[in-house]
Amino acid sequence: MIIKVKGAVDRLMLNRMKLACGFFAQKLFKKQMLPYVQFNVIIQKKLITSGCCGPIDPSRPREFEIEIRQQSRMAMLTILAHEMIHCKQFAYGELKEKYIKQNHVMLWKGEIFSNDIDYWDQPWEIEAYGLENSLVAKFLKETQTYAYFGQKVKDWSLS
């Protein structure tokens, strides 16, 4: 697996984002695929959305570009988890972008969804929002990076 991070405010943030990206990839991708994936994470000050991602080559989705708007460390960590879930969806063919009769559509597990579907009703977003917090919680717990991300252990532990 190759992970590249650009635009981090300092070396520590760059290293934490690489660590998180690798952690999320190990949780989302099968071991057999990990050696063949690449993630290019770009942190930008001016990005319209909080984050977005997509495969570099949609016909063989193994290299991904993930853009994240610069904001709080915790927000960027959560957005990274969310976008990594989309990378998994693209890599395993669950989510595909297509043009049918010059109309941009998304295919989710073979079913066509037009762009007029409400964002919150899109099944790929439902999955991503549903999984992002558990990925973040596991990352914070297993790497003990609560303080760096401005979090308290008690807020993320079940006991």
Side-chain angles (χ1 to χ4, degrees), residues 19 21 24 33-34 36 41-43 47 57 66-68 72 74 78 84 87 89-90 92 95 100 111 146 148 154-155:
L19 179 68
C21 188
F24 298 148
M33 190 180 289
L34 285 174
Y36 305 104
V41 180
I42 303 162
I43 301 168
L47 189 63
D57 178 1
I66 300 169
E67 295 178 289
I68 299 172
S72 75
M74 190 60 191
T78 304
M84 290 290 296
C87 291
Q89 294 167 342
F90 281 117
Y92 289 104
L95 181 61
I100 299 175
E111 185 178 344
Y146 297 100
Y148 179 80
K154 68 178 182 67
D155 294 337

Side-chain angles (χ1 to χ4, degrees), residues 129-143:
Y129 281 105
L131 293 175
E132 68 184 30
N133 284 333
S134 62
L135 281 173
V136 168
K138 280 183 95 60
F139 173 76
L140 292 172
K141 181 180 179 186
E142 292 183 24
T143 62

Side-chain angles (χ1 to χ4, degrees), residues 13-112:
M13 176 53 130
L14 181 134
N15 290 335
R16 293 288 196 240
M17 292 302 276
K18 277 187 175 181
L19 179 68
C21 188
F23 181 90
F24 298 148
Q26 288 178 354
K27 298 297 180 194
L28 294 166
F29 289 79
K30 295 177 183 173
K31 273 189 230 179
Q32 304 91 306
M33 190 180 289
L34 285 174
Y36 305 104
V37 292
Q38 177 173 332
F39 304 98
N40 304 312
V41 180
I42 303 162
I43 301 168
Q44 300 180 28
K45 287 184 180 179
K46 295 179 181 178
L47 189 63
I48 295 169
T49 63
S50 57
C52 60
C53 77
I56 302 296
D57 178 1
S59 67
R60 190 174 182 277
R62 296 294 180 266
E63 183 179 355
F64 301 93
E65 184 168 288
I66 300 169
E67 295 178 289
I68 299 172
R69 185 175 56 222
Q70 187 176 327
Q71 51 197 296
S72 75
R73 294 171 182 169
M74 190 60 191
M76 290 191 296
L77 179 66
T78 304
I79 293 162
L80 178 61
H82 182 98
E83 298 306 331
M84 290 290 296
I85 294 160
H86 290 317
C87 291
K88 182 270 304 181
Q89 294 167 342
F90 281 117
Y92 289 104
E94 299 166 341
L95 181 61
K96 296 178 183 179
E97 289 184 271
K98 295 280 183 188
Y99 284 90
I100 299 175
K101 296 182 182 176
Q102 298 180 330
N103 291 317
H104 180 258
V105 298
M106 300 300 283
L107 267 72
W108 174 250
K109 299 184 178 180
E111 185 178 344
I112 297 172

